[in-house]
């Protein structure tokens, strides 16, 4: 369970997720970025949200991003289905943290890791 917090952002009232001690930073970062970009929403009456609910929000957003194609017409052979399956497999690992290998040639340069593909799927840059 993750604690939520009310904030105002760009004249909108939102719920964001707050980190507990040694909490799951990457998952919270991904969700809060999507919330601030108005791409996912946590109900305003929620005090807590579960990991399963967050995975559902993220999975539904990925399916919606496939240009309105319904989930039952997405095949794993089309590439997009493979990407969705990969992201859904990786999400549980983001509960624990994210170790990255920094390349020092640019502010957003990291060695490839499958976990970073989750952020790439939503066009959320990592710095």
């Amino acid at each position: 369970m993750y604690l939520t917090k009310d904030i105002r952002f760009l004249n909108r009232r939102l719920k964001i997720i707050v980190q507990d001690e040694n909490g799951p930073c990457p998952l919270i970062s991904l969700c809060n970025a999507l919330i601030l970009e108005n791409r996912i929403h946590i109900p305003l009456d929620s005090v807590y949200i579960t990991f399963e609910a967050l995975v559902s929000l993220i999975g539904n957003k990925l399916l919606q991003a496939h240009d309105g194609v319904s989930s039952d017409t997405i095949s794993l052979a089309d590439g997009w289905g493979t990407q969705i399956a990969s992201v859904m497999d990786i999400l549980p690992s983001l509960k624990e943290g994210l170790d990255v290998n920094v390349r020092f040639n640019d502010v957003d340069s990291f060695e490839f890791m499958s976990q970073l593909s989750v952020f790439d799927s939503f066009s959320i840059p990592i710095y």
Side-chain angles (χ1 to χ4, degrees):
M1 298 280 276
Y2 305 108
L3 183 64
T4 65
K5 177 181 175 180
D6 288 313
I7 66 163
R8 291 206 58 83
F9 181 75
L10 299 177
N11 294 320
R12 293 181 292 136
R13 184 174 167 230
L14 304 170
K15 283 283 189 174
I16 60 167
I17 305 162
V18 295
Q19 181 177 359
D20 62 1
E21 186 176 332
N22 296 320
C25 309
L27 180 64
I28 291 172
S29 297
L30 173 67
C31 291
N32 283 340
L34 293 171
I35 290 166
L36 294 176
E37 290 180 350
N38 207 27
R39 299 199 289 176
I40 64 171
H41 305 278
I42 296 174
L44 293 176
D45 61 347
S46 297
V47 176
Y48 293 95
I49 188 164
T50 65
F51 171 75
E52 292 76 16
L54 291 178
V55 169
S56 178
L57 286 171
I58 292 167
N60 287 337
K61 191 53 165 174
L62 273 175
L63 290 173
Q64 290 171 2
H66 195 259
D67 297 327
V69 176
S70 71
S71 60
D72 41 75
T73 61
I74 296 174
S75 71
L76 290 179
D78 71 2
W80 185 249
T82 303
Q83 183 177 1
I84 291 171
S86 176
V87 166
M88 299 309 284
D89 285 343
I90 292 168
L91 281 177
S93 72
L94 296 182
K95 288 171 52 174
E96 303 303 321
L98 181 64
D99 292 325
V100 295
N101 292 322
V102 178
R103 293 184 178 160
F104 293 100
N105 59 339
D106 208 343
V107 296
D108 62 351
S109 184
F110 302 94
E111 285 185 26
F112 175 78
M113 300 175 52
S114 60
Q115 292 87 347
L116 293 178
S117 66
V118 174
F119 294 89
D120 291 342
S121 296
F122 290 101
S123 300
I124 295 176
I126 305 293
Y127 295 98

